């Protein structure tokens, strides 16, 4: 059960008068500030709206590359092109500032030597705690870098971003970086910033990124600059091939390595279906089936089986400094025995599944896809905090967790509202509004 008092729940959406239902919901959420996102002067976004609160211990006032790309992609889809481009350009400035991390002279083997994927978004500066003299962070996250390359290329392809030679040079350095680390067999910490392994969700993002660069590689201006850095369509194709081969071998699993690293289902694989759109057909169906049958809970969806992050009694077991700190080899969380079904249920996945079925319904008109689109949209809406929430009403949590195993009450965790959750819900509503226009009854 949830602790929230659902006195004023968001009404469910069905296919009858769908457009008018969505209008009422959007009005309520807009009035409640559900989709308000604090943007920094640099054009970047903190992970969560925790600045100035007692929840700053989470460090979610910092900027994550991955989160910012998902937020910027949402901006692009809903038509806020300038905001999307501003975010990508700010990330490019950060990568340019620390370009030595992309250069061939750097071996990039240690996590701290990789391009940093979490930093101070106000000053575009790496964190002192993330230097060799500090505590460090799991910066071996190929997916985060891949997401940046992917959206950069998408913006260029759509004419929303006219790249400078300097921006294209950073793009080229990142592409060569993927080649140098042999991304298809590189153990990275991936979406969940945990113990490194070879994972399909990271490989898939890089493959999608390289394919997106292929689409712009012959645009005048882009072609010349990339060629000057040794990158052409043939080079990209050769770099993509081992990635697609690795995906063919690993999927629908996340990881097939031994030594305790094997993982047969991970919700991060959903992003390969949408927004990256590089997995489709039977493989997409199998990933969806595994996630919804093995990880879906009554409220949200777990990241993976036995996930210890925000597991039951989390705040009782860990001090503030340990709750969201970097994961290490001797991390206390790695030794937790988390019972299936008690993992934190996240709020970034149901909305993505709704988007996936929205795309399918648009293409096929299959009533089953419409039903699933609405089912997961409604689940996403019910994840919003309610009237008595300490975070305020109608906010988008990162996840719900069991505060106390004795009571079994699920509550929103401290990273509320999470901007990535906001972005995904906004996308799901956007596609629902498009779907409503397809329906005769609307």
């Amino acid at each position: 059960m949830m602790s929230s008092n659902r006195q004023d729940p968001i009404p469910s959406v069905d296919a009858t008068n769908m457009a008018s239902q969505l209008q009422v919901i959007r009005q309520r959420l807009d009035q409640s500030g559900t989709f308000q996102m604090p943007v920094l002067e640099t054009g970047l976004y903190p992970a969560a709206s925790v600045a100035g609160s007692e929840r700053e211990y989470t460090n979610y006032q910092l900027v994550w590359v991955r989160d910012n790309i998902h937020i910027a992609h949402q901006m692009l889809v809903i038509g806020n092109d300038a905001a999307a481009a501003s975010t990508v350009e700010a990330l490019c400035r950060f990568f340019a500032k620390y370009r030595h991390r992309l250069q061939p002279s750097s071996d990039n083997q240690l996590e701290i030597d990789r391009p940093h994927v979490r930093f101070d978004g106000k000053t575009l500066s790496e964190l002192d705690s993330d230097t060799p003299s500090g505590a460090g962070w799991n910066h071996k996250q190929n997916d985060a870098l891949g997401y940046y390359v992917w959206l950069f290329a998408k913006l260029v392809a759509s004419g929303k971003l006219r790249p400078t030679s300097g921006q294209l040079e950073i793009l080229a350095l990142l592409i060569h970086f993927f080649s140098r680390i042999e991304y298809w067999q590189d153990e990275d910490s991936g979406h969940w910033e945990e113990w490194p392994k070879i994972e399909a969700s990271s490989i898939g993002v890089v493959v999608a990124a390289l394919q997106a660069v292929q689409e712009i590689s012959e645009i005048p201006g882009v072609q010349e600059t990339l060629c000057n850095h040794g990158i052409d369509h043939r080079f990209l194709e050769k770099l993509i091939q081992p990635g697609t081969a690795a995906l063919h071998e690993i999927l629908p699993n996340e990881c097939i390595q031994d030594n305790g690293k094997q993982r047969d289902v991970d919700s991060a694989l959903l992003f390969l279906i949408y927004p990256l759109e590089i997995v489709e057909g039977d493989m997409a169906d199998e990933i969806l089936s595994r996630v919804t049958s093995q990880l879906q809970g009554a409220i949200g969806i777990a990241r993976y089986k036995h996930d210890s992050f925000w597991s039951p009694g989390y705040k009782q077991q860990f001090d503030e400094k340990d709750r969201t700190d970097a994961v290490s080899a001797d991390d206390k969380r790695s030794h937790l025995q988390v019972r299936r079904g008690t993992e934190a249920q996240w709020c970034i996945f149901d909305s993505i599944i709704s988007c996936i079925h929205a795309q399918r319904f648009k293409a096929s008109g299959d009533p089953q896809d419409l039903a699933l689109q609405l089912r997961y949209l409604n689940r996403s809406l019910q994840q919003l905090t309610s009237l008595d929430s300490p975070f305020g009403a109608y906010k988008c949590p990162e996840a719900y967790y069991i505060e106390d195993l004795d009571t079994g009450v699920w509550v929103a965790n401290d990273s509320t509202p999470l901007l990535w959750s906001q972005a995904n819900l906004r996308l799901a509503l956007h596609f629902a509004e498009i779907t409503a226009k397809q329906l005769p009854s609307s």
Side-chain angles (χ1 to χ4, degrees):
M1 61 179 174
M2 296 171 64
S3 66
S4 299
N5 179 7
R6 312 305 292 185
Q7 293 177 356
D8 192 21
I10 298 294
S12 295
V13 181
D14 58 42
T16 304
N17 296 322
M18 186 174 167
S20 59
Q21 295 173 31
L22 290 169
Q23 185 177 10
V24 170
I25 290 170
R26 277 292 308 278
Q27 183 177 14
R28 182 185 298 184
L29 298 186
D30 288 344
Q31 290 174 346
S32 302
T34 300
F35 299 116
Q36 288 180 1
M37 296 183 181
V39 58
L40 305 175
E41 291 185 3
T42 55
L44 298 175
Y45 298 86
S49 300
V50 298
S53 74
E54 69 279 4
R55 292 172 288 125
E56 278 196 356
Y57 81 84
T58 62
N59 285 321
Y60 276 41
Q61 69 275 15
L62 299 175
V63 158
W64 268 258
V65 172
R66 178 188 307 101
D67 296 48
N68 267 260
I69 292 300
H70 279 277
I71 293 165
H73 168 257
Q74 169 259 162
M75 294 291 186
L76 178 64
V77 171
I78 67 173
N80 195 344
D81 305 336
S86 177
T87 299
V88 167
E89 290 181 313
L91 290 173
C92 188
R93 292 196 297 275
F94 172 75
F95 289 133
K97 184 176 180 180
Y98 297 97
R99 62 188 297 132
H100 65 280
R101 299 201 182 278
L102 300 171
Q103 301 285 24
S105 59
S106 181
D107 63 11
N108 300 114
Q109 294 305 305
L110 298 176
E111 294 173 351
I112 202 61
D113 293 326
R114 291 288 180 103
H116 287 202
V117 297
R118 182 191 77 154
F119 58 93
D120 184 335
K122 295 180 180 179
T123 62
L124 300 183
S125 299
E126 293 180 350
L127 305 171
D128 290 339
S129 61
D130 287 356
T131 62
S133 61
W137 189 256
N138 299 320
H139 289 294
K140 289 182 71 173
Q141 297 176 34
N142 300 335
D143 68 295
L145 304 179
Y147 277 124
Y148 166 79
V149 171
W150 170 76
L151 190 57
F152 180 95
K154 289 292 184 183
L155 284 166
V156 173
S158 62
K160 310 301 182 185
L161 175 64
R162 293 187 176 181
T164 66
S165 58
Q167 290 170 337
L168 290 171
E169 182 181 3
I170 296 302
L171 178 70
L173 288 174
L174 280 162
I175 293 170
H176 283 297
F177 176 85
F178 292 141
S179 176
R180 189 169 71 254
I181 64 171
E182 297 183 338
Y183 73 92
W184 57 91
Q185 58 184 2
D186 183 52
E187 289 191 339
D188 81 320
S189 294
H191 286 73
W192 314 136
E193 306 181 309
E194 295 184 334
W195 304 276
K197 58 187 179 299
I198 300 173
E199 45 202 344
S201 61
S202 287
I203 297 169
V205 179
V206 178
V207 169
L210 295 173
Q211 290 177 343
V213 174
Q214 274 189 316
E215 295 178 9
I216 66 170
S217 63
E218 296 182 3
I219 295 177
V222 176
Q223 182 180 39
E224 291 81 359
T225 302
L226 291 182
C227 284
N228 288 339
H229 291 278
I231 297 172
D232 57 17
H233 197 277
R234 183 179 178 184
F235 176 91
L236 291 167
E237 188 61 36
K238 289 181 64 176
L239 190 54
I240 289 169
Q241 286 175 358
T244 55
L247 289 178
H248 181 75
E249 180 182 8
I250 300 171
L251 290 174
N253 303 288
E254 166 71 333
C255 178
I256 57 175
Q257 289 176 282
D258 295 327
N259 302 322
K261 297 182 179 182
Q262 192 276 340
R263 184 174 296 170
D264 63 342
V265 56
D266 193 305
S267 293
L269 294 171
L270 293 172
F271 302 122
L272 304 189
I273 308 173
Y274 186 84
L276 297 173
E277 299 182 323
I278 65 162
V279 174
E280 55 187 13
D282 291 343
M283 184 61 73
D285 289 343
E286 178 62 22
I287 291 171
L288 280 166
S289 176
R290 291 189 181 194
V291 169
T292 55
S293 65
Q294 299 183 47
L295 300 179
Q296 181 174 312
I299 301 171
I301 295 175
R303 301 188 300 181
Y304 55 87
K305 301 171 189 174
H306 308 293
D307 183 7
S308 62
F309 188 54
W310 286 100
S311 53
Y314 198 72
K315 294 175 76 170
Q316 300 168 18
Q317 298 182 68
F318 299 101
D319 295 332
E320 287 186 354
K321 64 182 181 63
D322 296 322
R323 291 175 197 162
T324 58
D325 200 7
V327 173
S328 60
D330 59 349
D331 196 287
K332 300 175 185 176
R333 285 169 284 185
S334 66
H335 305 299
L336 288 178
Q337 299 297 317
V338 181
R339 180 164 52 85
R340 289 289 307 278
T342 67
E343 305 96 341
Q345 297 184 26
W346 283 57
C347 303
I348 59 173
F349 301 122
D350 288 278
S351 46
I352 288 298
I353 295 177
S354 181
C355 292
I356 291 170
H357 288 290
Q359 304 300 310
R360 292 183 170 190
F361 178 71
K362 181 179 180 181
S364 69
D366 187 338
Q368 180 64 16
D369 284 321
L370 173 60
L372 289 169
Q373 177 188 358
L374 295 180
R375 177 188 301 175
Y376 285 94
L377 171 63
N378 287 325
R379 280 175 55 88
S380 300
L381 290 169
Q382 293 308 310
Q383 291 164 358
L384 295 170
T385 57
S386 60
L387 298 180
D388 65 346
S389 171
F391 307 114
Y394 306 123
K395 304 304 180 187
C396 297
E398 177 181 56
Y400 282 88
Y401 78 107
I402 298 175
E403 187 174 33
D404 188 333
L405 264 178
D406 293 333
T407 62
V409 173
W410 294 83
V411 300
N413 74 353
D414 286 357
S415 306
T416 301
L418 186 81
L419 273 67
W420 189 357
S421 296
Q422 292 175 256
N424 288 0
L425 177 58
R426 182 67 185 83
L427 277 176
L429 281 171
H430 172 77
F431 287 123
E433 290 164 351
I434 292 174
T435 295
K437 297 176 181 177
Q438 292 180 250
L439 301 179
S441 58
S442 297

